[in-house]
Structure formats: C-alpha cells, structure tokens
PDB file of all heavy atoms in Angstrom:
ATOM      1  N   ASN A   1       8.529   6.361   3.233  1.00 96.00           N
ATOM      2  CA  ASN A   1       8.983   7.712   3.574  1.00 96.00           C
ATOM      3  C   ASN A   1       9.083   7.949   5.077  1.00 96.00           C
ATOM      4  O   ASN A   1       9.885   8.780   5.520  1.00 96.00           O
ATOM      5  CB  ASN A   1       8.036   8.749   2.959  1.00 96.00           C
ATOM      6  CG  ASN A   1       8.161   8.830   1.456  1.00 96.00           C
ATOM      7  OD1 ASN A   1       9.229   8.596   0.904  1.00 96.00           O
ATOM      8  ND2 ASN A   1       7.064   9.136   0.778  1.00 96.00           N
ATOM      9  N   HIS A   2       8.281   7.238   5.859  1.00 97.00           N
ATOM     10  CA  HIS A   2       8.235   7.481   7.311  1.00 97.00           C
ATOM     11  C   HIS A   2       8.185   6.165   8.091  1.00 97.00           C
ATOM     12  O   HIS A   2       7.265   5.942   8.895  1.00 97.00           O
ATOM     13  CB  HIS A   2       7.009   8.336   7.658  1.00 97.00           C
ATOM     14  CG  HIS A   2       6.915   9.610   6.896  1.00 97.00           C
ATOM     15  ND1 HIS A   2       7.704  10.720   7.178  1.00 97.00           N
ATOM     16  CD2 HIS A   2       6.143   9.960   5.832  1.00 97.00           C
ATOM     17  CE1 HIS A   2       7.413  11.693   6.328  1.00 97.00           C
ATOM     18  NE2 HIS A   2       6.477  11.258   5.501  1.00 97.00           N
ATOM     19  N   PRO A   3       9.168   5.286   7.890  1.00 96.00           N
ATOM     20  CA  PRO A   3       9.111   3.975   8.551  1.00 96.00           C
ATOM     21  C   PRO A   3       9.101   4.070  10.075  1.00 96.00           C
ATOM     22  O   PRO A   3       8.560   3.184  10.754  1.00 96.00           O
ATOM     23  CB  PRO A   3      10.365   3.266   8.039  1.00 96.00           C
ATOM     24  CG  PRO A   3      11.287   4.360   7.609  1.00 96.00           C
ATOM     25  CD  PRO A   3      10.396   5.448   7.091  1.00 96.00           C
ATOM     26  N   GLU A   4       9.688   5.149  10.599  1.00 96.00           N
ATOM     27  CA  GLU A   4       9.778   5.283  12.051  1.00 96.00           C
ATOM     28  C   GLU A   4       8.411   5.521  12.706  1.00 96.00           C
ATOM     29  O   GLU A   4       8.244   5.347  13.914  1.00 96.00           O
ATOM     30  CB  GLU A   4      10.738   6.424  12.419  1.00 96.00           C
ATOM     31  CG  GLU A   4      10.240   7.833  12.097  1.00 96.00           C
ATOM     32  CD  GLU A   4      10.419   8.264  10.640  1.00 96.00           C
ATOM     33  OE1 GLU A   4      10.772   7.413   9.795  1.00 96.00           O
ATOM     34  OE2 GLU A   4      10.204   9.458  10.359  1.00 96.00           O
ATOM     35  N   PHE A   5       7.411   5.902  11.909  1.00 97.00           N
ATOM     36  CA  PHE A   5       6.087   6.170  12.452  1.00 97.00           C
ATOM     37  C   PHE A   5       5.196   4.921  12.476  1.00 97.00           C
ATOM     38  O   PHE A   5       4.179   4.907  13.162  1.00 97.00           O
ATOM     39  CB  PHE A   5       5.374   7.249  11.623  1.00 97.00           C
ATOM     40  CG  PHE A   5       5.779   8.650  11.974  1.00 97.00           C
ATOM     41  CD1 PHE A   5       6.964   9.187  11.481  1.00 97.00           C
ATOM     42  CD2 PHE A   5       4.988   9.444  12.799  1.00 97.00           C
ATOM     43  CE1 PHE A   5       7.350  10.475  11.797  1.00 97.00           C
ATOM     44  CE2 PHE A   5       5.364  10.732  13.126  1.00 97.00           C
ATOM     45  CZ  PHE A   5       6.549  11.254  12.638  1.00 97.00           C
ATOM     46  N   VAL A   6       5.574   3.903  11.704  1.00 98.00           N
ATOM     47  CA  VAL A   6       4.664   2.767  11.492  1.00 98.00           C
ATOM     48  C   VAL A   6       5.187   1.514  12.186  1.00 98.00           C
ATOM     49  O   VAL A   6       6.344   1.124  12.009  1.00 98.00           O
ATOM     50  CB  VAL A   6       4.456   2.504   9.987  1.00 98.00           C
ATOM     51  CG1 VAL A   6       3.420   1.400   9.780  1.00 98.00           C
ATOM     52  CG2 VAL A   6       4.001   3.780   9.277  1.00 98.00           C
ATOM     53  N   HIS A   7       4.320   0.899  12.950  1.00 98.00           N
ATOM     54  CA  HIS A   7       4.657  -0.311  13.690  1.00 98.00           C
ATOM     55  C   HIS A   7       4.496  -1.557  12.826  1.00 98.00           C
ATOM     56  O   HIS A   7       5.334  -2.470  12.841  1.00 98.00           O
ATOM     57  CB  HIS A   7       3.743  -0.407  14.920  1.00 98.00           C
ATOM     58  CG  HIS A   7       3.877  -1.663  15.704  1.00 98.00           C
ATOM     59  ND1 HIS A   7       3.181  -2.819  15.397  1.00 98.00           N
ATOM     60  CD2 HIS A   7       4.625  -1.961  16.798  1.00 98.00           C
ATOM     61  CE1 HIS A   7       3.489  -3.763  16.262  1.00 98.00           C
ATOM     62  NE2 HIS A   7       4.359  -3.272  17.123  1.00 98.00           N
ATOM     63  N   SER A   8       3.403  -1.618  12.058  1.00 98.00           N
ATOM     64  CA  SER A   8       3.101  -2.774  11.220  1.00 98.00           C
ATOM     65  C   SER A   8       2.116  -2.348  10.139  1.00 98.00           C
ATOM     66  O   SER A   8       1.516  -1.273  10.214  1.00 98.00           O
ATOM     67  CB  SER A   8       2.545  -3.931  12.056  1.00 98.00           C
ATOM     68  OG  SER A   8       1.559  -3.468  12.972  1.00 98.00           O
ATOM     69  N   LEU A   9       1.954  -3.223   9.158  1.00 98.00           N
ATOM     70  CA  LEU A   9       1.212  -2.852   7.958  1.00 98.00           C
ATOM     71  C   LEU A   9       0.239  -3.971   7.588  1.00 98.00           C
ATOM     72  O   LEU A   9       0.580  -5.150   7.678  1.00 98.00           O
ATOM     73  CB  LEU A   9       2.215  -2.614   6.825  1.00 98.00           C
ATOM     74  CG  LEU A   9       1.713  -2.198   5.452  1.00 98.00           C
ATOM     75  CD1 LEU A   9       1.015  -0.839   5.497  1.00 98.00           C
ATOM     76  CD2 LEU A   9       2.897  -2.133   4.470  1.00 98.00           C
ATOM     77  N   VAL A  10      -0.982  -3.580   7.174  1.00 98.00           N
ATOM     78  CA  VAL A  10      -1.977  -4.541   6.695  1.00 98.00           C
ATOM     79  C   VAL A  10      -2.454  -4.073   5.321  1.00 98.00           C
ATOM     80  O   VAL A  10      -2.868  -2.924   5.157  1.00 98.00           O
ATOM     81  CB  VAL A  10      -3.183  -4.645   7.657  1.00 98.00           C
ATOM     82  CG1 VAL A  10      -4.213  -5.637   7.117  1.00 98.00           C
ATOM     83  CG2 VAL A  10      -2.729  -5.047   9.056  1.00 98.00           C
ATOM     84  N   LEU A  11      -2.377  -4.969   4.331  1.00 98.00           N
ATOM     85  CA  LEU A  11      -2.805  -4.649   2.970  1.00 98.00           C
ATOM     86  C   LEU A  11      -3.898  -5.616   2.551  1.00 98.00           C
ATOM     87  O   LEU A  11      -3.774  -6.835   2.753  1.00 98.00           O
ATOM     88  CB  LEU A  11      -1.633  -4.758   1.993  1.00 98.00           C
ATOM     89  CG  LEU A  11      -0.407  -3.881   2.270  1.00 98.00           C
ATOM     90  CD1 LEU A  11       0.706  -4.213   1.280  1.00 98.00           C
ATOM     91  CD2 LEU A  11      -0.763  -2.400   2.187  1.00 98.00           C
ATOM     92  N   THR A  12      -4.951  -5.089   1.955  1.00 97.00           N
ATOM     93  CA  THR A  12      -6.021  -5.936   1.439  1.00 97.00           C
ATOM     94  C   THR A  12      -6.453  -5.415   0.069  1.00 97.00           C
ATOM     95  O   THR A  12      -6.826  -4.243  -0.064  1.00 97.00           O
ATOM     96  CB  THR A  12      -7.203  -6.014   2.435  1.00 97.00           C
ATOM     97  OG1 THR A  12      -8.212  -6.867   1.920  1.00 97.00           O
ATOM     98  CG2 THR A  12      -7.779  -4.651   2.789  1.00 97.00           C
ATOM     99  N   GLY A  13      -6.315  -6.235  -0.954  1.00 95.00           N
ATOM    100  CA  GLY A  13      -6.634  -5.790  -2.308  1.00 95.00           C
ATOM    101  C   GLY A  13      -5.859  -4.548  -2.702  1.00 95.00           C
ATOM    102  O   GLY A  13      -6.379  -3.673  -3.397  1.00 95.00           O
ATOM    103  N   SER A  14      -4.614  -4.464  -2.284  1.00 95.00           N
ATOM    104  CA  SER A  14      -3.830  -3.238  -2.479  1.00 95.00           C
ATOM    105  C   SER A  14      -3.343  -3.093  -3.913  1.00 95.00           C
ATOM    106  O   SER A  14      -2.915  -4.048  -4.550  1.00 95.00           O
ATOM    107  CB  SER A  14      -2.622  -3.249  -1.538  1.00 95.00           C
ATOM    108  OG  SER A  14      -1.808  -2.105  -1.755  1.00 95.00           O
ATOM    109  N   SER A  15      -3.386  -1.855  -4.402  1.00 93.00           N
ATOM    110  CA  SER A  15      -2.663  -1.538  -5.630  1.00 93.00           C
ATOM    111  C   SER A  15      -1.204  -1.270  -5.255  1.00 93.00           C
ATOM    112  O   SER A  15      -0.827  -1.349  -4.094  1.00 93.00           O
ATOM    113  CB  SER A  15      -3.299  -0.338  -6.346  1.00 93.00           C
ATOM    114  OG  SER A  15      -3.267   0.817  -5.535  1.00 93.00           O
ATOM    115  N   GLY A  16      -0.399  -0.967  -6.246  1.00 93.00           N
ATOM    116  CA  GLY A  16       1.023  -0.751  -5.991  1.00 93.00           C
ATOM    117  C   GLY A  16       1.896  -1.620  -6.869  1.00 93.00           C
ATOM    118  O   GLY A  16       3.058  -1.305  -7.111  1.00 93.00           O
ATOM    119  N   LEU A  17       1.337  -2.734  -7.355  1.00 93.00           N
ATOM    120  CA  LEU A  17       2.036  -3.560  -8.332  1.00 93.00           C
ATOM    121  C   LEU A  17       1.303  -3.462  -9.666  1.00 93.00           C
ATOM    122  O   LEU A  17       1.774  -2.858 -10.603  1.00 93.00           O
ATOM    123  CB  LEU A  17       2.140  -5.009  -7.845  1.00 93.00           C
ATOM    124  CG  LEU A  17       3.071  -5.216  -6.644  1.00 93.00           C
ATOM    125  CD1 LEU A  17       3.025  -6.659  -6.157  1.00 93.00           C
ATOM    126  CD2 LEU A  17       4.513  -4.824  -6.999  1.00 93.00           C
ATOM    127  N   TYR A  18       0.108  -4.028  -9.746  1.00 81.00           N
ATOM    128  CA  TYR A  18      -0.733  -3.796 -10.917  1.00 81.00           C
ATOM    129  C   TYR A  18      -2.169  -4.159 -10.559  1.00 81.00           C
ATOM    130  O   TYR A  18      -2.426  -4.860  -9.582  1.00 81.00           O
ATOM    131  CB  TYR A  18      -0.265  -4.581 -12.134  1.00 81.00           C
ATOM    132  CG  TYR A  18      -0.326  -6.085 -12.001  1.00 81.00           C
ATOM    133  CD1 TYR A  18      -1.482  -6.805 -12.329  1.00 81.00           C
ATOM    134  CD2 TYR A  18       0.791  -6.798 -11.569  1.00 81.00           C
ATOM    135  CE1 TYR A  18      -1.526  -8.186 -12.205  1.00 81.00           C
ATOM    136  CE2 TYR A  18       0.752  -8.178 -11.450  1.00 81.00           C
ATOM    137  CZ  TYR A  18      -0.413  -8.870 -11.779  1.00 81.00           C
ATOM    138  OH  TYR A  18      -0.449 -10.228 -11.652  1.00 81.00           O
ATOM    139  N   GLU A  19      -3.096  -3.639 -11.328  1.00 77.00           N
ATOM    140  CA  GLU A  19      -4.504  -3.880 -11.043  1.00 77.00           C
ATOM    141  C   GLU A  19      -5.322  -3.788 -12.329  1.00 77.00           C
ATOM    142  O   GLU A  19      -4.905  -3.175 -13.305  1.00 77.00           O
ATOM    143  CB  GLU A  19      -5.023  -2.869 -10.020  1.00 77.00           C
ATOM    144  CG  GLU A  19      -4.904  -1.427 -10.483  1.00 77.00           C
ATOM    145  CD  GLU A  19      -5.384  -0.440  -9.430  1.00 77.00           C
ATOM    146  OE1 GLU A  19      -6.430  -0.698  -8.827  1.00 77.00           O
ATOM    147  OE2 GLU A  19      -4.702   0.579  -9.233  1.00 77.00           O
ATOM    148  N   ASN A  20      -6.479  -4.413 -12.298  1.00 71.00           N
ATOM    149  CA  ASN A  20      -7.452  -4.310 -13.378  1.00 71.00           C
ATOM    150  C   ASN A  20      -8.598  -3.430 -12.879  1.00 71.00           C
ATOM    151  O   ASN A  20      -9.566  -3.933 -12.324  1.00 71.00           O
ATOM    152  CB  ASN A  20      -7.992  -5.696 -13.756  1.00 71.00           C
ATOM    153  CG  ASN A  20      -6.879  -6.644 -14.163  1.00 71.00           C
ATOM    154  OD1 ASN A  20      -5.990  -6.282 -14.905  1.00 71.00           O
ATOM    155  ND2 ASN A  20      -6.917  -7.867 -13.657  1.00 71.00           N
ATOM    156  N   ALA A  21      -8.452  -2.141 -13.038  1.00 61.00           N
ATOM    157  CA  ALA A  21      -9.449  -1.216 -12.513  1.00 61.00           C
ATOM    158  C   ALA A  21     -10.565  -1.020 -13.536  1.00 61.00           C
ATOM    159  O   ALA A  21     -10.718  -1.789 -14.481  1.00 61.00           O
ATOM    160  CB  ALA A  21      -8.789   0.110 -12.156  1.00 61.00           C
ATOM    161  N   MET A  22     -11.329   0.045 -13.373  1.00 49.00           N
ATOM    162  CA  MET A  22     -12.411   0.314 -14.308  1.00 49.00           C
ATOM    163  C   MET A  22     -11.890   0.683 -15.692  1.00 49.00           C
ATOM    164  O   MET A  22     -12.639   0.774 -16.640  1.00 49.00           O
ATOM    165  CB  MET A  22     -13.307   1.444 -13.779  1.00 49.00           C
ATOM    166  CG  MET A  22     -14.251   1.003 -12.678  1.00 49.00           C
ATOM    167  SD  MET A  22     -15.500   2.253 -12.389  1.00 49.00           S
ATOM    168  CE  MET A  22     -16.464   1.486 -11.089  1.00 49.00           C
ATOM    169  N   GLY A  23     -10.595   0.887 -15.766  1.00 44.00           N
ATOM    170  CA  GLY A  23     -10.018   1.253 -17.051  1.00 44.00           C
ATOM    171  C   GLY A  23      -9.531   2.686 -17.032  1.00 44.00           C
ATOM    172  O   GLY A  23      -9.672   3.395 -16.055  1.00 44.00           O
ATOM    173  N   ALA A  24      -8.943   3.108 -18.121  1.00 45.00           N
ATOM    174  CA  ALA A  24      -8.379   4.454 -18.198  1.00 45.00           C
ATOM    175  C   ALA A  24      -9.449   5.514 -18.452  1.00 45.00           C
ATOM    176  O   ALA A  24      -9.162   6.696 -18.475  1.00 45.00           O
ATOM    177  CB  ALA A  24      -7.331   4.508 -19.301  1.00 45.00           C
TER     178      ALA A  24
END
C-alpha cells in the first residue's frame, strides 16, 4: 500500500502464505 515509504524489508517466520498456528 505504501511502497514509497519503505526502503527494504526483513521477514522472519512471517505469516502471509500459510502457517500452523495454535489453531482456530
């Protein structure tokens, strides 16, 4: 949404695709 504000990105254990969380 705001690419002009961000220089670079660091992701660690990120959700956004799929995850096995504590459950529903």
Side-chain angles (χ1 to χ4, degrees):
N1 289 329
H2 306 284
E4 70 279 10
F5 279 80
V6 185
H7 174 274
S8 45
L9 181 63
V10 179
L11 302 175
T12 181
S14 177
S15 61
L17 291 175
Y18 64 88
E19 60 182 316
N20 302 316
M22 283 193 179

